[in-house]
Amino acid sequence: MQIAIIAPSPVPFCIGGAENLWWGLLKSINQDTPHQADLIKLPSPEMNFWEIIDSYRTFSNLDLTHFDLVISGKYPGWMVQHPNHICYMLHRLRGLYDTYHFSKYPEIYSSKNREITTLQQFIRSNQRNRNALKEFFERLERLRFSSNCPGDAFHFPGPLIREFVHFLDGIGLATDAIKKYAAISNNVVNRQNYFPLGSAVEVIYPPSNIQSFRKGSSDYLFTVGRLDSAKRISLLIQAMKYVKTDIQLKIAGTGPDADSLKKLAGEDERIVFLGFVNDQEITNIYADSLAVPYVPYDEDYGLVTIEAMMSGKPVLTTTDAGGPNEFVINGETGYSVLPNPQALAERIDYLCEHRDEAQRMGLTGRKLVAEINWQNTVAQLLAETKSFISTSLSSPVVKRRKKITVALTFPVFPPRGGGQSRVFNLYRHLASQFDVELVTFTNADQDVFRGEIASNLYETRIPKSNNHQEQEWLIEQKVGVPVTDIIMPQLYHLTPAYVEALKASVESSDFVVACHPYLLPAIQAVTNKPIWYEAQDVEVELKKGILPNNAIGHELLEITRKVEEECCFISQLIMVCSIDDAKALHQIYNVDLGKIIEVPNGVDLEIVNYVEIEKRYLNKQKLGLVGSFTAIFLGSWHSPNLEAVRHIFKMAQELPNVNFLVIGSVGLAFRGEQRPVNVGFMGVLDEETKDTAFELVDVALNPVTFGSGTNLKMLEYFASGIPVISTPIGARGLAIEDGKHCIVVQLEKFSEAIAHIKYEDLATRQMRVESARRYVEEKFDWQAIANNFIQEITWKSFDFKD
């Protein structure tokens, strides 16, 4: 076959991952197959609106019919029309697709200009119609020289160029235009709007063009890449400020951020910038590194990962890095952590302290990527043979993953309270199997947000309209307690932007989750797709303890009962936090127990710092706090927690020699209120500050007396190694054993239990916290909870798989 590899040539020209892929593909086809290939590149500037349009038009007019096969991989190359066309996708124009939300522009351009609106109507009625291209470009050319166009029409990025590029890509990549779809990674396959709905896409991992790799010593950390914001070298430099080990970080590469990164590194002699490094040098640098930290944001693929593993080195990446996470398996080939400096620093120190383990992970990674080479890649792409390609990495045909939309009355990221933590961690782990989009409300004074908050987990956050917020406040003043969720069935329509965002999300979803029942009417207004109900509590029972015993309280309670009953009735499945909640829903609403699945609250053990009792004592000793005894309470602004704080005030008066520390938004409710001198409020804390507090406290309290579901704070206490005293209500749904995992007493016995644990011997205390930690590891790790849920819905045949 005569094969044309068609690609854009960047202006100004630079060499990147795409160029290396074209050259490797060209060389392998010509040397390793009986076919002949040519690389055809056209200059493709993309600095403004018209350069983008002109490049698309040029490729759409290119005649390559003298070739037997055309392979394209980037915009606008795939506009070439050919009867035998393979798209081996690297990515679309990301600034108009998956990173467009960063621009803060609207998705659709609104204008009263008749030329623009008629052109918009034209493209909307000619989706995927190649015959419309000629007229589209002619109309657009007239628009180019029109004196009546508004000044913002031709912004790049901007909503109008976004509409036009989506229209053009829809034609170039239509199912009748492409014979075979492939992608360089699952991450590319799973991006929204990248491939036609329902199309089969083959994942074909490309190799590095470096000829040979070797494994050397383990002397330093090494990373390589273009020095720009997308590669997030700055995150690694910030992490080094927290790294305790004396180890070098060598950084290879050039780019626009070089000077600012060097300034950020300051006088840290451990950080060394190598500048440009050729292939021979880079092989040696990889070989003698201990590990390769590589932390880009949502990378398409990431050859650095492959090169590091081919060199026998573990890779340290982040959960939002995209492509690298297809190869980085925690504890096996490296580590993937949250994208913050402290988490990275902790794993760097760990690898430095466990060099044998780092070497073992490097060897495992080397085996994992051993069969990623050009011969195999070309064989898959041309479909000559697949018999020798390992199935350990290849899933030859990948259909678009199923998608879940979750409707919430509150924002999720960054997670602060228990409900936010549950949503973030549960769906973060479910995102290994699904694409997940959280469509959330926030207060009117906040900004719109659309972004990936973890790998394949997105949040679209919409502020309430001013009218919505005002109506909510008016009702809240009458009731005397927060009612954001309860009145959402009546007020959601006052924020049309939320309805639009929810509708847009569910159009590409397979299931819609009502997280709490209150947005069920909004869901029903925009879709008839299957609904799952995540019942974090038995709402009618919870609200009974919150709402006032008067006419408006009774009215709101009836609203709660009706929407909860409807949600239970209409939902395909119901997730509950405990078996007790399942029984309660069955008793109150006659819910079919067969569609209920227990999805307990959990804890993310990867980020919780476990501190033994003896180390707590040493920490206090260093700070001169050995003589103090501190009890902690963690809670959000939630009625059971508010009542618990009032109980703590009474305990504080009975135990003046004990310090009581309250963390979380619950403290905001007591601003200006008189309290005992030995009670302190710390408010909402970042993770680092909270960890510091957790390392110093002597006991954790959970004196709640009402509520449903289970308390996340209990699991967080257990995971951190803090001795716990709880009421039976606080320990509900967790199958906790009094005396084995914590001390469970009635509220009136709390002061006595605190006094007892204060003088308890350290060995007894340590035995109890170790038992609690093991219990959490076995039963309540979020990864295990998500895996169990996926197995359960598969077993119960909830239309989970094709």
Side-chain angles (χ1 to χ4, degrees):
M1 284 192 298
Q2 307 296 315
I3 300 173
I5 302 169
I6 182 73
S9 179
V11 178
F13 179 71
C14 62
I15 296 174
E19 282 63 42
N20 282 303
L21 188 146
W22 311 136
W23 296 336
L25 194 59
L26 178 71
K27 181 179 178 181
S28 182
I29 291 174
N30 285 326
Q31 292 188 359
D32 302 326
T33 77
H35 310 300
Q36 294 179 316
D38 193 10
L39 175 59
I40 300 172
K41 298 187 75 181
L42 301 182
S44 302
E46 52 180 74
M47 296 298 292
N48 59 52
F49 184 106
W50 294 110
E51 287 183 349
I52 294 287
I53 292 298
D54 289 344
S55 291
Y56 268 87
R57 176 165 40 198
T58 299
F59 275 100
S60 70
N61 291 327
L62 192 61
D63 183 1
L64 294 177
T65 52
H66 57 295
F67 286 92
D68 301 305
L69 172 69
V70 166
I71 300 172
S72 65
K74 271 191 73 176
Y75 65 91
W78 47 58
M79 293 304 296
V80 169
Q81 185 177 19
H82 194 277
N84 195 18
H85 187 168
I86 294 175
C87 175
Y88 183 25
M89 187 180 289
L90 283 73
H91 57 80
R92 294 205 185 193
L93 204 171
R94 298 192 64 191
L96 300 180
Y97 282 88
D98 48 293
T99 65
Y100 179 74
H101 58 276
F102 291 125
S103 73
K104 304 295 185 182
Y105 287 115
E107 293 188 353
I108 303 296
Y109 184 75
S110 297
S111 172
K112 294 181 180 178
N113 181 286
R114 183 164 179 80
E115 290 178 279
I116 293 176
T117 56
T118 55
L119 182 53
Q120 287 176 307
Q121 291 168 359
F122 175 78
I123 66 174
R124 289 166 192 169
S125 60
N126 283 280
Q127 296 293 313
R128 295 176 292 282
N129 178 11
R130 192 173 188 95
N131 293 327
L133 278 180
K134 185 174 184 295
E135 184 174 349
F136 167 75
F137 285 121
E138 288 174 351
R139 288 191 180 205
L140 193 53
E141 193 66 16
R142 290 195 294 270
L143 196 63
R144 185 175 193 166
F145 298 104
S146 171
S147 59
N148 298 322
C149 284
D152 64 346
F154 305 132
H155 281 175
F156 175 70
L160 192 59
I161 188 65
R162 179 182 181 274
E163 285 186 70
F164 290 164
V165 166
H166 280 237
F167 165 70
L168 292 166
D169 286 345
I171 291 172
L173 295 172
T175 53
D176 60 354
I178 302 295
K179 290 294 184 183
K180 175 179 179 176
Y181 298 98
I184 60 173
S185 68
N186 279 295
N187 192 43
V188 171
V189 174
N190 291 322
R191 285 186 182 143
Q192 293 186 42
N193 302 318
Y194 263 38
F195 292 93
L197 207 59
S199 57
V201 186
E202 188 170 348
V203 176
I204 305 174
Y205 293 125
S208 169
N209 283 338
I210 296 176
Q211 294 298 309
S212 61
F213 295 94
R214 66 177 180 84
K215 183 181 177 301
S217 57
S218 302
D219 299 332
Y220 45 78
L221 305 171
F222 173 59
T223 194
V224 57
R226 182 169 167 77
L227 303 185
D228 61 23
S229 58
K231 302 302 181 183
R232 293 198 303 196
I233 302 295
S234 60
L235 182 59
L236 286 180
I237 293 173
Q238 290 166 346
M240 287 298 291
K241 296 177 182 179
Y242 297 94
V243 172
K244 301 169 186 174
T245 310
D246 184 16
I247 187 168
Q248 278 191 331
L249 168 63
K250 295 186 177 184
I251 302 169
T254 60
D257 292 353
D259 290 339
S260 61
L261 290 172
K262 290 174 183 176
K263 186 176 180 180
L264 180 63
E267 298 180 0
D268 191 337
E269 295 180 353
R270 298 175 302 170
I271 302 174
V272 180
F273 290 87
L274 303 177
F276 171 77
V277 177
N278 62 38
D279 284 356
Q280 184 176 353
E281 291 176 303
I282 209 169
T283 300
N284 294 328
I285 300 171
Y286 270 126
D288 292 325
S289 64
L290 168 68
V292 175
Y294 183 55
V295 295
Y297 172 73
D298 193 23
E299 185 79 357
D300 304 315
Y301 175 49
L303 272 177
V304 173
T305 310
I306 306 304
E307 292 172 349
M309 291 183 178
M310 292 295 287
S311 304
K313 305 301 175 181
V315 175
L316 175 60
T317 191
T318 54
T319 53
D320 63 350
N325 284 294
E326 295 178 37
F327 303 93
V328 177
I329 305 167
N330 273 324
E332 295 185 31
T333 61
Y335 289 103
S336 181
V337 301
L338 290 176
N340 66 64
Q342 295 91 338
L344 287 163
E346 190 276 331
R347 286 293 93 183
I348 289 172
D349 280 328
Y350 180 88
L351 288 167
C352 292
E353 293 166 7
H354 300 81
R355 290 175 181 255
D356 289 345
E357 191 171 338
Q359 290 183 10
R360 176 189 60 77
M361 287 190 284
L363 291 174
T364 303
R366 191 170 188 172
K367 292 176 183 176
L368 180 68
V369 302
E371 294 183 2
I372 297 179
N373 57 56
W374 277 117
Q375 290 83 0
N376 288 354
T377 297
V378 169
Q380 283 184 272
L381 191 63
L382 302 184
E384 290 185 347
T385 177
K386 296 177 185 175
S387 59
F388 58 88
I389 297 172
S390 167
T391 57
S392 63
L393 276 177
S394 277
S395 48
V397 176
V398 176
K399 289 196 173 180
R400 285 192 57 83
R401 305 192 317 167
K402 289 190 181 293
K403 179 185 171 186
I404 300 174
T405 291
V406 187
L408 298 113
T409 60
F410 54 87
V412 170
F413 191 82
R416 300 296 191 195
Q420 291 172 316
S421 293
R422 174 185 169 87
V423 170
F424 175 71
N425 284 295
L426 174 61
Y427 292 101
R428 176 168 72 93
H429 288 290
L430 289 181
S432 65
Q433 297 289 330
F434 297 95
D435 286 334
V436 184
E437 182 176 3
L438 314 175
V439 185
T440 68
F441 268 103
T442 191
N443 288 334
D445 59 351
Q446 301 298 304
D447 293 329
V448 173
F449 170 81
R450 290 185 176 89
E452 188 175 20
I453 58 177
S455 182
N456 297 318
L457 174 62
Y458 298 83
E459 181 174 6
T460 297
R461 189 182 309 148
I462 306 296
K464 298 168 196 167
S465 67
N466 289 330
N467 188 15
H468 184 157
Q469 190 84 71
E470 288 167 6
Q471 293 299 317
E472 180 184 316
W473 283 342
L474 288 173
I475 298 171
E476 198 165 289
Q477 288 171 3
K478 295 178 184 178
V479 183
V481 295
V483 291
T484 297
D485 52 357
I486 302 174
I487 58 175
M488 195 60 80
Q490 282 69 43
L491 300 186
Y492 78 86
H493 67 281
L494 298 179
T495 304
Y498 181 87
V499 179
E500 292 171 10
L502 186 63
K503 182 179 180 181
S505 177
V506 301
E507 282 180 359
S508 57
S509 289
D510 301 275
F511 310 102
V512 187
V513 175
C515 184
H516 298 85
Y518 302 104
L519 281 169
L520 177 65
I523 294 170
Q524 291 174 306
V526 299
T527 188
N528 58 2
K529 291 183 178 179
I531 295 173
W532 297 355
Y533 173 31
E534 187 187 349
Q536 291 193 11
D537 303 283
V538 179
E539 291 296 318
V540 73
E541 293 298 320
L542 180 64
K543 301 308 185 191
K544 276 181 187 177
I546 297 173
L547 294 168
N549 187 19
N550 56 27
I552 191 168
H554 297 161
E555 180 184 345
L556 292 175
L557 189 63
E558 181 60 16
I559 290 171
T560 301
R561 188 195 66 76
K562 284 183 177 179
V563 74
E564 185 171 45
E565 182 176 34
E566 176 70 5
C567 211
C568 288
F569 173 76
I570 202 170
S571 296
Q572 185 188 53
L573 71 84
I574 301 172
M575 295 175 263
V576 296
C577 294
S578 69
I579 295 301
D580 289 343
D581 284 0
K583 292 177 181 176
L585 291 175
H586 174 68
Q587 184 176 1
I588 298 169
Y589 302 118
N590 195 29
V591 175
D592 177 9
L593 290 173
K595 69 176 184 178
I596 295 180
I597 296 176
E598 183 184 14
V599 185
N601 280 325
V603 65
D604 184 5
L605 293 173
E606 292 179 10
I607 64 169
V608 176
N609 186 24
Y610 174 72
V611 181
E612 297 177 343
I613 296 295
E614 186 175 350
K615 188 174 180 182
R616 289 177 186 281
Y617 180 81
L618 293 174
N619 289 342
K620 294 179 68 172
Q621 193 176 50
K622 288 178 185 177
L623 297 174
L625 299 174
V626 171
S628 68
F629 188 88
T630 303
I632 199 169
F633 175 73
L634 176 68
S636 58
W637 190 329
H638 191 43
S639 288
N641 294 328
L642 297 176
E643 188 65 25
V645 171
R646 295 188 180 94
H647 295 314
I648 287 173
F649 285 176
K650 294 177 185 177
M651 296 175 209
Q653 292 172 331
E654 296 171 2
L655 300 169
N657 294 323
V658 174
N659 298 316
F660 292 84
L661 196 60
V662 178
I663 294 176
S665 59
V666 64
L668 301 176
F670 296 89
R671 286 175 297 187
E673 187 170 323
Q674 196 169 14
R675 61 180 186 266
V677 294
N678 55 333
V679 177
F681 290 98
M682 294 188 71
V684 178
L685 304 179
D686 59 63
E687 288 300 317
E688 183 181 4
T689 307
K690 189 176 76 172
D691 285 348
T692 301
F694 271 31
E695 289 175 5
L696 295 170
V697 299
D698 299 283
V699 65
L701 308 178
N702 192 18
V704 298
T705 55
F706 66 97
S708 63
T710 56
N711 275 185
L712 270 170
K713 63 174 69 70
M714 291 289 288
L715 302 175
E716 194 165 355
Y717 294 157
F718 286 172
S720 302
I722 309 173
V724 179
I725 303 172
S726 175
T727 58
I729 290 293
R732 67 191 178 277
L734 298 175
I736 288 168
E737 293 184 37
D738 176 27
K740 180 179 180 181
H741 304 118
C742 68
I743 296 172
V744 181
V745 294
Q746 295 296 338
L747 184 63
E748 58 271 17
K749 297 285 187 180
F750 252 67
S751 295
E752 182 182 327
I754 293 170
H756 171 77
I757 208 169
K758 182 177 180 181
Y759 298 105
E760 186 178 46
D761 68 274
L762 297 185
T764 302
R765 219 184 294 177
Q766 179 63 33
M767 194 162 52
R768 193 183 303 119
V769 299
E770 286 178 356
S771 178
R773 169 75 183 195
R774 285 195 301 272
Y775 187 60
V776 170
E777 290 173 345
E778 294 168 2
K779 301 288 186 182
F780 298 104
D781 178 61
W782 275 119
Q783 181 66 69
I785 291 169
N787 290 343
N788 290 339
F789 174 67
I790 290 169
Q791 289 176 9
E792 188 81 4
I793 59 177
T794 304
W795 181 73
K796 289 194 173 186
S797 301
F798 282 116
D799 193 28
F800 170 50
K801 292 190 174 178
D802 294 322

